[in-house]
Amino acid sequence: MHDPIPTLTFPGGRKIPVLGQGTWRMGEDRAKAAAEIRSLQIGLDLGMTLIDTAEMYGDGGAERIVGEALRGRRDEAFIVSKVLPANASRSGTIAACERSLENLGTDRIDLYLLHWRGGHPLADTVAAFEALKKAGKILAWGVSNFDLDDMEELIAVPEGGHVATNQVLYNLARRGIEYDLLPWCRDRHLPVMAYSPLDEGRLLHNADLIHIAKAHQATPAQVALAFLKTRSGVISIPKTGSTERARENRDAMDIHLTAENLAELDRFFPPPRRKTRLEVI
Ligand code: NAP
């Protein structure tokens, strides 16, 4: 018997589980497609209903995998996709969104993000996002890889305050956002999406984390995800192409780290004491 996955509420009122599924490096190899589709479907069965993808991943291939995984069950999922900065002009964003809808085999994207800041003015991208929202092609929009100064600039452009999330690198080994960006987002009730929550797999080989995980009869991946569960306002989106690891990640939500456990994690993975530039992958 599982504990339910905790939820958080996006601006606009949609309640979403704080553990979702990533898709980077999916859709690149046809031989792996069936396993990738299956792992996303099992994840969905287990309540990890937020699926994060991007036009960049596999050049549309990951979006097509998501579309296949969701065939006949689109309404169960909350789809996040992203426009590449090079495409994020006013007309380019709209054209990119149309392509993503086609790849995903759906009529709407729940949350559409600017993948990172590029050369196009933020005001143009925001205007395109708002037009897409009015047309019902996206239900909300947000950004990714924005540091605090980028967020301040964003909310100053017309309708920039409608931003619904910032998706950034955040895991036990990369805690810089705890200093300023995470509190800033929390103050504004803006959920933060933690990408690479396992540090792209590197955390799994960390000797300290392996030691702590053993004490919990858990795996390092599970402790890394259980840690993020303790951070309010944070959704983590681990990627796996394996049904076993999808189950393992879901089971991490049943782990309850105590204040003592968290203090131990702080000793091995110290929180930031000063501002550091936002790290990106
Ligand atoms: P991650 O989720 O931290 O790690 C993924 C790696 O960990 C994969 O190699 C996966 O291998 C492995 N893994 C997953 N669960 C595991 C488990 N329980 N035990 C052992 N290994 C496990 O890294 P990520 O893919 O970079 O980040 C997650 C998602 O965030 C991406 O897929 C993408 O959707 C998003 N992202 C966004 C940005 C951005 O700029 N906005 C950047 C990076 C990532 P298997 O597949 O073989 O299980």
Side-chain angles (χ1 to χ4, degrees):
M1 197 53 193
H2 279 302
D3 291 348
I5 304 177
T7 56
L8 61 67
T9 306
F10 271 100
R14 289 196 62 193
K15 244 189 203 174
I16 302 297
V18 300
L19 182 69
Q21 306 187 74
T23 64
W24 191 17
R25 303 207 168 84
M26 287 191 183
E28 294 179 355
D29 178 353
R30 212 47 227 172
K32 293 186 180 158
E36 291 167 350
I37 291 167
R38 194 73 202 116
S39 75
L40 288 174
Q41 290 173 331
I42 291 284
L44 203 59
D45 294 341
L46 296 171
M48 297 184 279
T49 51
L50 182 151
I51 301 183
D52 179 78
T53 189
E55 63 167 336
M56 183 185 97
Y57 304 161
D59 221 358
E63 290 180 325
R64 287 189 284 274
I65 292 286
V66 173
E68 286 186 52
L70 294 182
R71 200 171 294 157
R73 54 190 305 194
R74 164 68 185 90
D75 291 349
E76 292 173 50
F78 182 94
I79 301 178
V80 183
S81 193
K82 312 184 195 81
V83 56
L84 278 167
N87 293 335
S89 64
R90 203 180 158 140
S91 59
T93 300
I94 293 184
C97 182
E98 301 281 4
R99 286 194 300 274
S100 288
L101 288 169
E102 177 81 27
N103 287 336
L104 289 159
T106 184
D107 59 350
R108 68 203 185 279
I109 291 169
D110 296 282
L111 179 58
Y112 196 44
L113 312 183
L114 172 60
H115 209 146
W116 65 88
R117 253 193 108 160
H120 292 290
L122 286 177
D124 289 0
T125 312
V126 170
F129 283 157
E130 286 293 321
L132 286 166
K133 219 163 75 171
K134 277 195 193 88
K137 294 185 176 176
I138 66 172
L139 301 186
W141 63 265
V143 292
S144 177
N145 296 302
F146 270 43
D147 207 342
L148 189 56
D149 50 351
D150 300 310
M151 292 304 288
E152 299 272 16
E153 223 178 298
L154 173 67
I155 61 168
V157 310
E159 302 180 294
H162 294 173
V163 58
T165 194
N166 185 12
Q167 183 181 118
V168 292
L169 176 62
Y170 181 38
N171 60 54
L172 266 176
R174 320 264 198 149
R175 295 180 63 174
I177 67 164
E178 290 179 16
Y179 188 78
D180 56 351
L181 183 59
L182 184 55
W184 187 94
C185 290
R186 279 183 185 144
D187 284 349
R188 286 159 185 77
H189 306 289
L190 205 59
V192 166
M193 294 180 65
Y195 76 66
S196 306
L198 309 175
D199 212 27
E200 296 183 292
R202 279 182 293 273
L203 266 175
L204 312 172
H205 310 292
N206 181 291
D208 299 324
L209 191 57
I210 291 170
H211 166 78
I212 295 171
K214 272 193 185 138
H216 280 274
Q217 291 160 335
T219 67
Q222 288 177 321
V223 175
L225 297 174
F227 164 77
L228 289 173
K229 187 184 68 159
T230 67
R231 312 285 104 170
S232 74
V234 173
I235 300 171
S236 60
I237 47 170
K239 174 263 171 188
T240 181
S242 132
T243 52
E244 296 79 50
R245 289 190 283 280
R247 288 182 205 284
E248 182 183 324
N249 294 346
R250 165 62 184 92
D251 289 349
M253 297 298 100
D254 295 341
I255 297 175
H256 300 286
L257 297 172
T258 62
E260 211 172 281
N261 301 149
L262 289 171
E264 191 183 18
L265 285 170
D266 281 351
R267 277 199 299 282
F268 290 119
F269 303 96
R273 287 165 178 245
R274 63 184 73 83
K275 166 72 185 165
T276 45
R277 262 327 277 174
L278 178 65
E279 294 180 89
V280 299
I281 283 183

